[in-house]
């Protein structure tokens, strides 16, 4: 796919989307809906922070391992998490 098409799909999604580094769970990128949801001024408010920093409930080590395993298996991980 064309890079511009993928960026447009990501940016214009009606859902808040975050790209996370699977090694340390730091946020690499977020879309416009993510900025709106968290009332952030810009993407820099998220970059470098752990994705789970913004959750009401911090996942357990077992849950983090499950997420890591899913990502490393090539299946990816996409769930809502409080």
């Amino acid at each position: 796919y064309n890079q511009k098409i993928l960026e447009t799909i990501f940016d214009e999604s009606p859902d808040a989307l975050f790209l996370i580094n699977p090694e340390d769970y730091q946020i690499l990128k977020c879309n416009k809906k993510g900025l709106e949801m968290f009332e952030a001024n810009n993407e820099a408010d998220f970059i470098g922070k752990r994705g789970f920093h913004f959750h009401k409930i911090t996942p357990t080590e077992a849950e983090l391992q499950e997420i890591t395993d899913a990502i490393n298996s090539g299946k990816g991980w996409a769930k809502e998490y409080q």
Side-chain angles (χ1 to χ4, degrees), residues 21-61:
N21 181 329
E23 293 178 13
D24 60 11
Y25 303 105
Q26 288 191 6
I27 297 171
L28 303 173
K29 184 168 179 58
C30 71
N31 68 353
K32 292 180 209 176
K33 193 65 171 184
L35 295 175
E36 289 174 22
M37 177 185 268
F38 289 96
E39 299 177 352
N41 294 319
N42 57 54
E43 196 175 51
D45 292 343
F46 294 108
I47 304 304
K49 294 183 179 167
R50 290 187 70 179
F52 297 112
H53 171 85
F54 299 98
H55 292 219
K56 292 178 184 176
I57 301 169
T58 302
T60 66
E61 287 301 318

